[in-house]
Amino acid sequence: MSVDPLSDVLALLKPHTYIAGGFDLAGRWSLGFEPHTGIKCYALVSGSCWLALEGLAEAVRLEAGDCALLPNGRRFHLTTDLALPPVPFETMERLEWRGGMATLDGGGETLVLGGHFAFAGAHADVLLGAMPPIAHLRGDEESTNLRWALERMRRELVEPQPGGVLVAQHLAHLMLVQALRLYLKGGAGRHVGWIFALADPQLSAAIGAIHAEPGFRWTLSALAGKAAMSRSSFARAFSTTVGVSPIEYLTRWRMLLAGARLTEGHESVPTIAQSLGYGSDAAFSTAFKRTMGCAPRAYARFRRPTSSPHPWATTAVARAAGHSDGRERPHP
């Protein structure tokens, strides 16, 4: 099976989600949302609205069929009129709830579906660091797939069925991958970051080779060969697109893999070092400290989880089934 770098990175970051659901709205409204971690993803099924993000001078107009990714955690609001002051979502008393759906004034005009994805793994900046505050994704085949996943998620929340937790877990990953595919498709050539190299067959081949054999003693010439490019052309194209040199990318990916394995606590530092292509513990430790900010053994002590994160889908489906403690209103 060919190596898929995007799947590799997502597996390393352990994506899960807090909640998925939506809003069925009518009339004039303005909903305000507090800062968040991870990625929020919205799909506008019907109607239209504005999305205004803290720190950006211009709001984004969303029409039916559009999707939006919010990866940087800033405050934002959704509104029919930018002149309306936003009301904090948690305090809006006019909302009526059914599972993961909030209805305002009977709904029927604007339907927004959304998901909120967090990452249990460290170093989410690997994925999010190169993304703009808002990624506006216009309707096409991939957004249709995303909206299907969001709608299916909504049904799991509103109408719980046996096996719903497992279905929701798989839908969560599907939603995230579809959104990132849309982002990659629309942003290639306009932004800098490793994810955009995946849109280039030659650069993607080199990144795939690194992910397939991270412990191989890769050289610039060997990676250029994988990309079927000259050394100079490959080095220039890679650095321009990804933002770092090929060897810097290789080192960082190795250290991210090492960090995940150290956190799991099943392998020794020498074993990890050798498997990732380092001939001595000292060379590995130097590279690890330079990239991760501390020595490998210190990283293992401080990063090792004391317990597994509570599965998001269990919480979401339990709330939808009416088992919430009533102290909070989930929202995407």
Side-chain angles (χ1 to χ4, degrees):
M1 182 179 294
S2 60
V3 174
D4 177 358
L6 179 57
S7 295
D8 278 353
V9 172
L10 290 177
L12 192 69
L13 297 181
K14 302 178 178 66
H16 60 289
T17 193
Y18 294 141
I19 197 70
F23 319 109
D24 190 3
L25 310 165
R28 298 173 72 243
W29 48 269
S30 185
L31 300 177
F33 299 86
E34 290 301 301
H36 60 272
T37 59
I39 295 178
K40 284 197 172 185
C41 173
Y42 291 101
L44 200 65
V45 178
S46 61
S48 61
C49 67
W50 293 96
L51 191 162
L53 192 71
E54 182 180 58
L56 291 189
E58 295 186 1
V60 173
R61 182 68 172 176
L62 299 178
E63 304 287 348
D66 288 359
C67 301
L69 288 176
L70 303 175
N72 297 136
R74 302 183 191 180
R75 285 185 179 85
F76 68 96
H77 65 274
L78 297 167
T79 182
T80 55
D81 185 347
L82 291 170
L84 283 175
V87 177
F89 177 84
E90 293 81 1
T91 66
M92 181 167 276
E93 297 179 354
R94 294 158 56 200
L95 291 174
E96 298 178 0
W97 283 87
R98 182 186 177 193
M101 290 294 296
T103 301
L104 179 67
D105 293 343
E109 294 180 4
T110 303
L111 178 60
V112 184
L113 299 177
H116 181 180
F117 305 94
F119 298 94
H123 305 289
D125 61 301
V126 172
L127 178 62
L128 306 181
M131 297 181 72
I134 295 179
H136 185 192
L137 314 172
R138 298 195 179 277
D140 64 7
E141 182 179 352
E142 291 293 344
S143 64
T144 299
N145 294 335
L146 174 59
R147 290 196 305 275
W148 176 88
L150 287 164
E151 171 60 17
R152 194 70 185 85
M153 176 70 74
R154 183 194 67 80
R155 290 178 58 189
E156 291 296 328
L157 295 174
V158 174
E159 305 169 4
Q161 298 289 327
V165 169
L166 184 60
V167 170
Q169 288 172 338
H170 285 291
L171 284 171
H173 287 85
L174 176 60
M175 290 160 63
L176 181 58
V177 170
Q178 292 290 0
L180 290 172
R181 282 178 176 176
L182 273 172
Y183 173 60
L184 173 60
K185 183 177 180 179
R190 298 201 302 270
H191 302 291
V192 175
W194 71 271
I195 190 172
F196 300 112
L198 304 184
D200 184 303
Q202 291 176 291
L203 297 182
S204 181
I207 290 178
I210 289 172
H211 283 242
E213 297 183 88
F216 186 78
R217 295 186 181 277
W218 291 108
T219 63
L220 182 60
S221 295
L223 290 171
K226 291 293 184 181
M229 300 172 70
S230 70
R231 275 177 39 127
S232 58
S233 296
F234 170 69
R236 183 169 55 253
F238 195 100
S239 297
T240 299
T241 303
V242 180
V244 298
S245 72
I247 301 305
E248 287 176 297
Y249 180 87
L250 168 65
T251 300
R252 189 178 190 193
W253 180 243
R254 284 173 169 174
M255 296 306 107
L256 290 172
L257 291 175
R261 290 163 66 177
L262 287 165
T263 299
E264 292 170 356
H266 304 312
E267 299 173 274
S268 68
V269 169
T271 298
I272 295 173
Q274 185 176 15
S275 71
L276 292 176
Y278 290 87
S280 71
D281 292 358
F284 170 73
S285 295
T286 298
F288 190 93
K289 188 172 183 178
R290 184 173 62 248
T291 303
M292 308 295 272
C294 65
R297 290 178 176 83
Y299 186 94
R301 287 196 303 272
F302 291 115
R303 290 282 187 176
R304 190 165 296 156
T306 56
S307 61
S308 299
H310 184 65
W312 76 267
T314 302
T315 302
V317 175
R319 285 172 175 165
H323 300 155
S324 172
D325 59 13
R327 290 179 294 180
E328 60 176 324
R329 286 179 173 179
H331 60 84

